[in-house]
Amino acid sequence: MIQKNNQSVSLTLAHINDTHSYFEPSSLQLKLNIGDHQLEPYVSAGGFARISTRVKQLKQQALERKQGFLFLHAGDCFQGTLYFSLFKGKANAELLNALNIDAMALGNHELDMGNEPVAHFLRRIQFPLLAGNWDVSKESTDKNLRVSDSSQLIAYQNTHAGWLVKEVQGVPIAIFSLALDKMADISNPDVDTPFLDSIEVAKQTVAAIHQQGIHNIILLSHLGYESDLELAKQVSGIGLIVGGHSHRLQGDFSGLGLSKDDDYGQYVAGTYVVQAGCHALSLGHCEITFDQHGRVSEFNGKNEILLGRRLCLDATLSNAYQDDSHQQASDFLRQHPNVVICKKDPELHSILVDKYMPRVRKLQETIIARSEYPLRHVRIPDESGPSVLAPLVAESFAFMMQKQGYLVDFAIHNAGGVRSSLNPGNITIADIAGKLLPFVVPIGVYEIQGKNIGLILEGAINNALNNGVIGTGSGSYPYVHNLDFTYVADNPQGQRIQQLKIFSQYGRWESIEEESWYKGTSSAYTMKGKEGYDAILNMHKYGKVTHFSMADCFIEFLQNFPERIQSIAQNVQEHYR
């Protein structure tokens, strides 16, 4: 339908972003200044069931005002909690379907495990997934499942982004999406599906939409907040940018002890830019009017933190039950302009409770190992020793890959890929997938010559120690399995790894031969050559990224060898005592 030049259109638009599988409410501590004292209540915040309730309220209000209504997700629904570790996107699809969103942008974390999980996700969703600068036109036909085969994916089309048209009051509104240009640098899209320059694609797409007689344009972006502001400066013709990636909660939440950020709805060169925080804690919504030329002539909106009715105060700190502080805190929150007290939508909540929550609770209770000693993780070895956990994680990669039929000689894992220490006591699956290795990053295998193994190790250590290079952080420090070496910091660069040996299939340590080829395993992140690991890019072709995550490997390893973690922890404890 072609828009008539004299038509304006009004609608309410609700939006979320970077929900990262936070389906359940989160416990949030606030800091409220009431009168002459500060209260610090714990509240139940957000969650998909509360978002559903609030969206239904806003939709009903829009209908009563005879306005249109749209509900958009600006990307990154994958990762974050045990719901993703366990269900790999299935729960995300069903619960986003239940939220009845109109469209979602592809985020970088959707591609952490390559294209295939996205292809499965596309089979399950009942809404379009927009990825306007993702060129999937040359995706290999050899794959079992291809993203390019799905009609739910609206990707790059020859010279511009594909777009979704939603009619509001009989007037078309075009919605297209852009993701990070350098997606391959921070995520793992398949090599045959590259991402194109966002600014150029945006310019071409706006022109193409205008050629179709449509003037009202919304960009659903996963570029990041600063990039959204910059794009608004460079590309005219977009009325509204609904953003994600930066977790930016626009608005003043300082009265709750949270952030005070830019006002909601930044206006840049004729374009409004909005973003709504993260982790399903908040919902953004705005009432907008496009005039007959596609410009936003009226805009009004805000972000809201969604809270339950109950709050908990520590009576010893606040004298809560002596001076009516509990009631004061409740009244303060109910009157706050950026807080909405709302119930959980029973229909959506029942999906979570009946289908997914029991298995997550079981993970939280399933014990797979035990240690009587602290399981310490440090990025760089210190006077108390190295990480206990990181070498075992590396060993688990080799174990899992060998179990899948890959002949692996060694494993290397970056210290930053392990996120915490573990206390003495029982170790549950939730401890591994929710604390130690919470990011579902896949493991890969590769072949590389011996001369490059030393360069990988040196580059990673140089980066971690800022030794002759401008490093990016201690997280690059390498922990290994089946490798042994000495790092001589004072040697010239390229000669700092000495006495490099590998534990051979014959059960003995042997010197690595520079021209021989060896099979290694690392995370897909490390295999991209970031943070000092650039020598790993000298691998044969591209290597192979599997669909087993770091947590998958370590859980499987501990279930087969539960005593290993106890014995290693004991040995380290005794050695550095």
Side-chain angles (χ1 to χ4, degrees):
M1 182 176 182
I2 304 301
Q3 179 181 357
K4 297 178 181 178
N5 289 335
N6 62 353
Q7 282 186 286
S8 63
V9 60
S10 296
L11 71 149
T12 296
L13 184 143
H15 59 101
I16 51 179
N17 56 271
D18 300 276
T19 49
H20 287 299
S21 310
Y22 277 76
F23 306 131
E24 293 189 56
S26 300
S27 179
L28 190 64
Q29 186 175 26
L30 306 177
K31 293 182 180 180
L32 315 179
N33 291 311
I34 300 175
D36 58 356
H37 60 289
Q38 185 179 82
L39 303 177
E40 298 185 3
Y42 284 90
V43 293
S44 174
F48 270 37
R50 289 200 182 104
I51 287 174
S52 180
T53 294
R54 185 59 178 145
V55 167
K56 287 179 179 179
Q57 292 171 353
L58 292 168
K59 187 173 184 178
Q60 181 59 37
Q61 292 169 12
L63 290 173
E64 291 170 359
R65 291 193 294 265
K66 295 182 169 49
Q67 289 183 341
F69 184 82
L70 290 174
F71 183 21
L72 303 176
H73 190 307
D76 270 5
C77 71
F78 279 17
Q79 299 284 20
T81 72
L82 287 171
Y83 285 101
F84 187 77
S85 302
L86 182 58
F87 299 108
K88 303 292 193 297
K90 181 181 178 182
N92 298 75
E94 183 166 6
L95 291 165
L96 286 168
N97 286 340
L99 279 182
N100 198 27
I101 62 175
D102 289 290
M104 175 179 148
L106 178 78
N108 54 290
H109 282 292
E110 272 72 73
L111 285 164
D112 279 348
M113 300 185 74
N115 286 19
E116 188 169 325
V118 178
H120 285 290
F121 182 68
L122 285 163
R123 282 189 166 188
R124 295 181 174 118
I125 58 176
Q126 298 165 4
F127 52 85
L129 181 66
L130 308 185
N133 58 332
W134 195 19
D135 185 359
V136 300
S137 62
K138 295 181 176 63
E139 189 175 23
S140 172
T141 57
D142 294 336
K143 298 177 183 177
N144 294 328
L145 199 59
R146 305 195 312 161
V147 295
S148 55
D149 289 335
S150 175
S151 60
Q152 295 287 43
L153 179 66
I154 302 180
Y156 184 72
Q157 298 179 0
N158 298 320
T159 60
H160 55 75
W163 63 83
L164 171 70
V165 175
K166 301 292 286 188
E167 285 200 0
V168 175
Q169 300 170 344
V171 177
I173 296 175
I175 306 168
F176 76 100
S177 179
L178 297 170
L180 295 156
D181 305 4
K182 300 189 183 300
M183 184 70 81
D185 289 347
I186 67 167
S187 194
N188 293 291
D190 292 359
V191 294
D192 54 0
T193 55
F195 282 77
L196 308 179
D197 182 88
S198 57
I199 297 290
E200 290 306 311
V201 172
K203 291 176 179 177
Q204 294 162 356
T205 305
V206 170
I209 293 171
H210 284 166
Q211 287 175 2
Q212 295 296 311
I214 300 174
H215 303 299
N216 307 315
I217 301 176
I218 295 171
L219 169 59
L220 188 57
S221 164
H222 200 80
L223 296 171
Y225 188 63
E226 299 300 330
S227 295
D228 288 342
L229 299 176
E230 183 61 30
L231 187 142
K233 293 177 185 177
Q234 296 192 39
V235 183
S236 60
I238 300 171
L240 179 69
I241 298 176
V242 179
H245 185 59
S246 302
H247 298 193
R248 187 66 64 101
L249 183 63
Q250 289 178 320
D252 185 358
F253 293 85
S254 58
L256 304 175
L258 305 176
S259 65
K260 181 179 181 181
D261 215 319
D262 292 346
D263 291 340
Y264 180 83
Q266 288 295 294
Y267 186 70
V268 180
T271 301
Y272 284 93
V273 178
V274 298
Q275 193 169 141
C278 63
H279 296 172
L281 292 169
S282 52
L283 177 76
H285 61 90
C286 51
E287 295 177 47
I288 58 177
T289 298
F290 288 98
D291 69 14
Q292 63 267 36
H293 304 294
R295 294 182 296 236
V296 176
S297 57
E298 296 180 29
F299 178 93
N300 181 48
K302 60 181 176 178
N303 280 320
E304 298 172 336
I305 297 282
L306 307 180
L307 301 183
R309 291 180 294 115
R310 295 187 179 89
L311 59 85
C312 178
L313 281 167
D314 186 336
T316 62
L317 296 178
S318 64
N319 297 318
Y321 301 102
Q322 300 175 24
D323 59 6
D324 298 323
S325 292
H326 191 279
Q327 187 61 49
Q328 289 177 9
S330 296
D331 293 343
F332 181 91
L333 291 175
R334 290 181 182 278
Q335 294 166 14
H336 195 285
N338 296 106
V339 169
V340 171
I341 310 297
C342 61
K343 298 179 180 179
K344 299 172 185 174
D345 177 9
E347 184 176 350
L348 189 145
H349 187 61
S350 68
I351 296 172
L352 187 61
V353 170
D354 296 340
K355 297 187 69 171
Y356 298 107
M357 195 180 289
R359 290 183 63 187
V360 168
R361 294 291 183 266
K362 184 177 179 180
L363 281 189
Q364 292 170 333
E365 299 167 357
T366 302
I367 298 169
I368 55 174
R370 179 177 175 82
S371 175
E372 302 301 326
Y373 303 91
L375 299 167
R376 181 172 177 263
H377 175 61
V378 289
R379 292 190 167 189
I380 298 174
D382 56 21
E383 65 278 0
S384 297
S387 170
V388 172
L389 292 164
L392 284 172
V393 172
E395 184 178 351
S396 77
F397 296 173
F399 167 78
M400 180 66 94
M401 293 301 96
Q402 288 164 350
K403 189 173 181 180
Q404 303 308 312
Y406 298 103
L407 299 176
V408 171
D409 299 311
F410 68 90
I412 302 176
H413 188 41
N414 62 307
V418 179
R419 306 304 294 180
S420 68
S421 300
L422 294 176
N423 293 322
N426 294 330
I427 301 167
T428 66
I429 291 179
D431 289 327
I432 304 304
K435 297 177 184 178
L436 188 73
L437 302 165
F439 295 113
V440 186
V441 177
I443 301 308
V445 292
Y446 51 91
E447 289 186 67
I448 197 159
Q449 286 183 293
K451 60 187 175 184
N452 289 306
I453 297 174
L455 294 176
I456 293 168
L457 297 169
E458 180 183 324
I461 298 173
N462 289 345
N463 183 85
L465 302 180
N466 294 312
N467 188 8
V469 299
I470 300 174
T472 56
S474 58
S476 68
Y477 192 89
Y479 282 94
V480 299
H481 170 65
N482 273 5
L483 293 176
D484 189 55
F485 61 91
T486 301
Y487 177 81
V488 184
D490 294 333
N491 276 7
Q493 281 188 242
Q495 301 176 34
R496 292 173 178 166
I497 298 298
Q498 299 292 313
Q499 300 175 324
L500 178 58
K501 297 180 181 180
I502 192 164
F503 195 75
S504 76
Q505 59 183 318
Y506 304 110
R508 60 177 180 264
W509 288 100
E510 299 178 355
S511 296
I512 282 185
E513 298 178 4
E514 287 198 350
E515 300 303 318
S516 295
W517 289 85
Y518 299 89
K519 296 180 176 66
T521 177
S522 299
S523 73
Y525 179 84
T526 301
M527 286 172 64
K528 287 188 172 295
K530 304 172 191 177
E531 299 189 28
Y533 284 85
D534 45 297
I536 206 171
L537 298 177
N538 294 320
M539 70 178 69
H540 178 63
K541 294 185 178 179
Y542 299 110
K544 165 71 175 177
V545 175
T546 73
H547 298 300
F548 295 97
S549 71
M550 297 186 293
D552 291 337
C553 296
F554 199 47
I555 290 167
E556 184 78 9
F557 178 74
L558 288 184
Q559 286 176 328
N560 281 267
F561 306 106
E563 74 288 346
R564 281 281 287 136
I565 202 162
Q566 168 76 3
S567 62
I568 292 291
Q570 183 176 355
N571 289 340
V572 171
Q573 189 87 359
E574 292 173 353
H575 182 77
Y576 288 94
R577 183 171 295 165

